[in-house]
Amino acid sequence: MAVCARLCGVGQSRRCRRRQRHNQQDQGSDSDMDDEEGVRIVATAECGRANVRLSYGQSASTGQPNPKSLLDLPPELLVGIFSSLPGTELPNLALVCKTFRQILNTETIWRRRCTEEFGMREDLRKIEVVGVSSRELYAKLLHPYRHILGLWQPDIGPYGGLLNVVVDGLFILGWMYLPPHDPRVEDPMRRRPLFRIHMWESNKAAVECMYGHKGPHKGDVQTGKNDEFSTKCNQTDHHRMPGGRQEEFRTWLEEEWGRTLEDIFHEHMQELILMKFIYTSQYDNCLTYRRIYLPPRLPSDLLQPGLFKGTYGSHGLEIIMLSFHGPRARATKLTGDPNVPAGQLTLDVDLNRPVRLPDLEHQRSVEELSRLVLGVHEEAQQEAQSPDVAPQGVAAGKGAVAGGGAEGLELAMEAQSESPQPGPSSSSSSSAPSEAQAFVLPLGVMARNEVYPRTCKMCFYGTGLIAGHGFTSPERTPGLFILFDEDRFGFIWLELKSFSLYSRLTDQLAHAYAPNMERFEAMLRNMQSWTS
């Protein structure tokens, strides 16, 4: 504050200001000249950063020819300067002097802060018509609840979830993201509002629970740690339905799965669905959320990392996060099931071990595919037991390539293009890995979705996590990772003889990316400990 006071030409008391004016008139010391020059430099720099053009019919010449402080600048220029500062700094600036405090009442400043800091695209002038100023919107809604914006994972036991908190006009909305109905993995995500915070009816923020079928009702949001917050419903009777639990279950089943219980003939699947309803409905939207980040993209990444939705047999569709760590690609569950819960590493792919597919005739044989993948699996186990032994190179149809990151991936692509395809010599083995290769699922491999891509770019050896009910006896089993395109990939679980198809989640997610890779990896470690 002392620095701001010096810049605007005022002291901390009347005596200080009188002494300052006396020194400016009677003393011409070098220090005073340096101070004045510093003020001019600061004012010039701030003006340049604000990129303000005077458009009110007043030119810079209407002020003092050589301004000695910020107070000598035209008011509209100060508005431009102040609107370029972070909103968290403006309250301290208002304490400097009365003039600054009056200028900071200008709505233009706060409109710009709302737009630049929170991405509001609405015309804030229209919002101000309803009696809520942009300054009130920033000070009473956006700024106090800024820490809960972004992506979060609810603590719902093994099931997890994905919550996205966004700014929407006069509201802060918490949207729960739900996968499309099984098995339509390429359909867009579904959203369900869980809570909202608004200033629609009063001059202070109000929290409402959106869960249930009776409309918004009183709720509460509690923020504790920086990467954690919780919600509470104060009127849980709004979640009940007249027909009791049976009606609630039928409604939930139609929303969650898009079908009735009579449509589901598999007895095991019926048990899983009923178990999930009983477990999740007990929370009544009183949940704790932990922050999650989207992975930053690196130049060596095989494709854009991010969120995907994939098929998991009787468990339906689940949401995973694909990230790259040097020569490895990893998929972490954001939603889970009683066997493998949310937060666990569902796929681990070795990008240094490409697998060259045979021709279509041999691709239909699950024995041929098993021979290729298990051969690479044995090599990986041997190298894990003897880390000093380097990979022996690429054999027909399989290979291990030393290196990591971009260099390792380039070697893997060269290995795929040079390695011959298993099968008859008439098969087309000259196609490069960047070109589309014909692909078909082996006979006997189950797929929830019969509509899958019939061409792929590259294939790699990987392992998938399987476990018994309650996450008992977890183990990693070998499989084949198939890259179809930038937005789709698949995984063949050899032991389960099952195929999972994954499709990218294309929603725009603000306030979601990790500041750096170290922060993202720390989040992954914490996420795994939440459900272990």
Side-chain angles (χ1 to χ4, degrees), residues 328-343:
R328 308 194 79 86
R330 291 171 179 162
T332 305
K333 281 192 172 187
L334 296 186
T335 61
D337 51 69
N339 291 71
V340 179

Side-chain angles (χ1 to χ4, degrees), residues 417-436:
S417 62
E418 296 173 359
S419 61
Q421 292 178 328
S425 58
S426 60
S427 62
S428 59
S429 59
S430 60
S431 60
S434 57
E435 299 176 356

